[in-house]
Amino acid sequence: MNISYTTRHHLCLGCGLCEDICPQGAITIDIRQGEYRPSVDESLCIGSNCGRCSDICPGLGVDLLKLSSRQDSLTNGHVTCNEYLGRYVQLYTGHCTNEDIRYHSASGGLVTGLLVYLLEKKMIDGAVVTRFSSIDHLTPEVFIARNTDELISARSSKYCPVSMQGIRKQIREAEGKYVIIGLPCHLHGFRKIEEKDKKFREHVFAYWGLYCSSGRTFHLTDYILQQRHINQEDIRYFSYRDEGCLGSLVVKCSNEVYKERYQSYFHPLRSIFIPRRCHFCIDHSAELADISFGDIHIKPYSDDTIGINSLIVRTPQMNDLLQQAMRDGAIVMEELNEATLVASQKMARVKKTKYASLVYWCKRMGMAVPQYDVKPYSKIGFVKSLFYLINLNLQYQVGHHRNLWFLIKYMIKKRKA
């Protein structure tokens, strides 16, 4: 079995890691219908004699409990397990002390600020981050940042597909240690890879994960720009979230600058352009990361106008690093109550209940679904799950087909009614 099984059964996450792992060079990644997808040259693939692409594919699922529990040996037994957040040693809120980074990041700028700190202290040699291409300013570009300017070029959220092809080879062939920043699905794949590639693992300083409610296809960006009559070829700067807490869409063109608050443009569309496989994901908070970062839009933190991060620290080593960064004045942190963080992360509960139930019932119906070692915490009945799946798929079909985009404005009006 090769990665074609994943794509044929709509389980592909578009992570791009299969291209790297193939010893035959039989896999290439390209964009099809708004998402990254692998293509297999069957004349090069050696099939059952290999199977590496399937072995590391996060789209087929991951043993969250098994892989996350391996970190327990590093905690000396001081680990808390939460059904929605995973294993952790400490929870915080905070932000970086560089106000420019903080203001232009999606939340508190902690990821960028901490990476700058680690580089300056020569604790790492670089970090795997994502910026927009300097050519069209819209295509995401994953690369290894090795200086402050490169790190800053990658700040803030990217609400579009991000493919990691090429990163494994670059890391294993490089000198030094690197932090890998990724979504939960990216880290699922990298954790699988490190089990088979010791040389790669030796160069990883840490995995830092980003909370993820769901991915978005490239069609989201196309729709946003189309509706606002913004010419893609005229864009000189693009950010989904810039200028403070939650922030604004900022698009700079040759002769004008367009700005619109995040809640205004994104929230009405948030469930329409989600890739199909994301509806079967049960990991919101990047449970296989060493540190997980995200927003915390709940009072009193939502009253902040510049930006606050929440953090889930999963190893004592990373906790020590954060404490040192705070003593050195690079960041500010406060301890966070577990109940408050869970209350602020609605999608963490949705994924472990509704999405996990979809996995359960779809498997019972004979559908190909990802395999997890986590059972639904609150299994929803078959009929309710079926209607939920139909609703999700209807929204997916509208977002997936441009000739149906005219329906979106009616869907938004119905929600507001």
Side-chain angles (χ1 to χ4, degrees), residues 116-246:
V116 170
Y117 169 80
L118 293 179
L119 269 179
E120 290 177 346
K121 293 293 182 179
K122 301 188 184 304
M123 298 174 68
I124 62 172
D125 297 275
V128 175
V129 292
T130 305
R131 64 187 173 193
F132 286 120
S133 165
S134 60
I135 298 174
D136 66 6
H137 308 283
L138 289 173
T139 303
E141 177 182 89
V142 179
F143 72 109
I144 299 177
R146 301 177 186 272
N147 58 55
T148 298
D149 289 342
E150 289 181 341
L151 287 173
I152 290 175
S153 73
R155 64 190 173 191
S156 199
S157 298
K158 311 293 187 295
Y159 294 118
C160 61
V162 173
S163 177
M164 294 276 181
Q165 77 254 37
I167 291 300
R168 167 187 165 267
K169 290 181 180 178
Q170 292 180 53
I171 292 291
R172 75 191 308 272
E173 294 171 1
E175 298 291 333
K177 294 279 189 177
Y178 300 87
V179 176
I180 295 179
I181 315 295
L183 299 175
C185 55
H186 295 138
L187 301 193
H188 295 173
F190 280 123
R191 288 295 192 184
K192 286 184 171 185
I193 286 174
E194 71 177 22
E195 290 191 308
K196 299 179 176 295
D197 191 340
K198 183 179 179 181
K199 184 177 180 182
F200 165 79
R201 181 68 186 93
E202 289 173 347
H203 292 289
V204 178
F205 178 83
Y207 296 103
W208 289 1
L210 307 173
Y211 303 170
C212 181
S213 61
S214 290
R216 302 297 187 279
T217 71
F218 285 115
H219 291 332
L220 169 67
T221 308
D222 292 342
Y223 181 81
I224 290 169
L225 297 176
Q226 179 192 92
Q227 292 298 300
R228 287 149 184 82
H229 307 290
I230 298 174
N231 182 2
Q232 294 191 18
E233 295 182 358
D234 193 36
I235 293 174
R236 300 295 178 265
Y237 173 84
F238 181 89
S239 178
Y240 292 101
R241 288 173 62 181
D242 198 349
E243 300 184 355
C245 181
L246 284 179

Side-chain angles (χ1 to χ4, degrees), residues 71 74-75 88-89 289-291 313-320:
Q71 298 287 75
L74 305 174
T75 65
Y88 69 88
V89 297
D290 297 300
I291 310 178
V313 187
R314 305 189 187 276
T315 69
Q317 292 83 353
M318 288 295 107
N319 197 41
D320 291 343

Side-chain angles (χ1 to χ4, degrees), residues 19 23 36 85 87 114 170 187 198 239 266 269 276-277 293 312 314 317 353 368 384 394:
E19 181 182 286
Y36 286 110
L85 306 177
R87 287 169 159 80
L114 280 167
Q170 292 180 53
L187 301 193
K198 183 179 179 181
S239 178
F266 185 82
L269 303 172
R276 182 179 295 175
R277 171 58 175 81
F293 300 82
I312 305 173
R314 305 189 187 276
Q317 292 83 353
T353 54
K384 190 173 183 179
L394 285 174

Side-chain angles (χ1 to χ4, degrees), residues 2 4 8 26 39-47:
N2 63 30
S4 294
R8 189 166 60 250
S39 297
V40 180
D41 185 337
E42 297 293 347
S43 68
L44 297 176
C45 178
I46 55 178

Side-chain angles (χ1 to χ4, degrees), residues 87-105:
R87 287 169 159 80
Y88 69 88
V89 297
Q90 192 58 264
L91 306 175
Y92 296 105
T93 60
H95 58 82
C96 74
T97 54
N98 182 310
E99 290 302 313
D100 183 69
I101 291 177
R102 183 185 177 194
Y103 181 68
H104 291 289
S105 298

Side-chain angles (χ1 to χ4, degrees), residues 60-70 188 192 195 288 371-374:
L60 297 178
V62 65
D63 291 331
L64 281 176
L65 293 180
K66 176 184 175 182
L67 292 177
S68 62
S69 64
R70 291 181 180 178
H188 295 173
K192 286 184 171 185
E195 290 191 308
L288 299 186
Q371 302 296 311
Y372 299 110
D373 60 351
V374 179

